[in-house]
Amino acid sequence: GDSVTQMEGPVTLSEEAFLTINCTYTATGYPSLFWYVQYPGEGLQLLLKATKADDKGSNKGFEATYRKETTSFHLEKGSVQVSDSAVYFCALSDLTGGTSYGKLTFGQGTILTVHP
Amino acid sequence: EAGVAQSPRYKIIEKRQSVAFWCNPISGHATLYWYQQILGQGPKLLIQFQNNGVVDDSQLPKDRFSAERLKGVDSTLKIQPAKLEDSAVYLCASSYRRSSGNTGELFFGEGSRLTVL
């Protein structure tokens, strides 16, 4: 079945440092890939997505590129802020075909803490 | 636009007791999901509804868990009897569906945290 593996966490960085959170996936079809974020005390929310190979999703300074050859979707940000402290989840969904219902399969999550 | 509403936010029960969680999705969202998130793990899908029909309940422990969405709007997830390993956050999410299929963007509620003693 489909699965998502994220880098072992947690990750602790100083403000303005470069961030990479690794994500690899296994899927039988041609999935869409997502990063969701959960800020303290809030629900999960979509951060960015990419629906096909070589697409780049971006939002709030975060970027991730869909790499089919390495089955990866690593999350990056050039300069993190304290407000980026949250839990980040990589996820996939097989949206191919009009009958798909958009079920998400999540990785285990990576806790990011950014210090001033 | 109102978000996904869930209640209660917190619940503490003893094992073998029962508990129910309620979810009201975003208006107009036909697809509703219940996820279980155990501490330190990613959310795992329990059940997915399209309108009031079940699309996927393959991961739902049907001997103790049940869920319904009678009028295609709000939904209830019940656990009876609860076990210690059911301690988790239960997340409800909804999404809209285009004619070409779902977009993959789910809108989550804040979750209901269950502690089983």
Side-chain angles (χ1 to χ4, degrees):
Chain A
D2 296 346
S3 67
V4 177
T5 302
Q6 290 182 231
M7 66 185 294
E8 297 295 328
V11 175
T12 302
L13 296 172
S14 297
E15 207 164 25
E16 299 183 4
F18 183 85
L19 168 70
T20 299
I21 301 177
N22 290 337
C23 170
T24 57
Y25 67 90
T26 302
T28 54
Y30 299 94
S32 291
L33 301 174
F34 305 82
W35 279 99
Y36 276 76
V37 60
Q38 187 170 33
Y39 297 105
E42 299 183 16
L44 278 159
Q45 57 187 274
L46 179 66
L47 179 60
L48 55 84
K49 72 176 186 180
T51 57
K52 60 183 186 296
D54 299 325
D55 269 3
K56 177 186 285 188
S58 61
N59 187 25
K60 299 182 180 180
F62 290 89
E63 294 183 337
T65 300
Y66 189 145
R67 301 290 187 196
K68 188 165 181 283
E69 63 277 11
T70 55
T71 61
S72 64
F73 193 55
H74 305 322
L75 182 68
E76 296 182 336
K77 186 174 186 181
S79 176
V80 294
Q81 305 300 312
V82 172
S83 56
D84 294 326
S85 298
V87 185
Y88 292 81
F89 292 91
C90 186
L92 68 80
S93 181
D94 187 355
L95 300 179
T96 55
T99 57
S100 173
Y101 292 100
K103 163 188 162 184
L104 283 175
T105 299
F106 287 90
Q108 70 269 36
T110 300
I111 300 172
L112 171 65
T113 303
V114 180
H115 293 298
Chain B
E1 175 180 87
V4 176
Q6 289 189 245
S7 67
R9 289 292 310 278
Y10 305 93
K11 188 74 176 179
I12 300 174
I13 63 174
E14 295 191 348
K15 59 183 178 182
R16 291 189 289 273
Q17 288 187 323
S18 63
V19 62
F21 302 112
W22 173 83
C23 171
N24 191 35
I26 292 173
S27 177
H29 283 193
T31 312
L32 185 147
Y33 312 78
W34 283 103
Y35 280 83
Q36 180 192 57
Q37 186 177 12
I38 293 173
L39 187 65
Q41 299 181 20
K44 182 185 81 171
L45 181 70
L46 291 176
I47 188 167
Q48 180 179 348
F49 293 93
Q50 183 70 17
N51 296 308
N52 61 348
V54 175
V55 173
D56 185 346
D57 63 356
S58 58
Q59 298 293 307
L60 188 73
K62 298 181 186 63
D63 57 334
R64 299 183 299 104
F65 286 66
S66 64
E68 59 183 13
R69 193 185 184 199
L70 291 176
K71 297 183 179 178
V73 181
D74 57 349
S75 176
T76 302
L77 175 71
K78 296 179 181 177
I79 308 174
Q80 181 179 12
K83 291 186 175 181
L84 297 177
E85 59 261 36
D86 298 332
S87 293
V89 177
Y90 291 86
L91 300 170
C92 180
S94 67
S95 67
Y96 63 93
R97 180 172 168 77
R98 295 179 181 153
S99 57
S100 56
N102 272 9
T103 66
E105 180 174 4
L106 273 58
F107 295 82
F108 285 84
E110 293 182 337
S112 295
R113 183 178 297 276
L114 173 65
T115 302
V116 182
L117 303 176

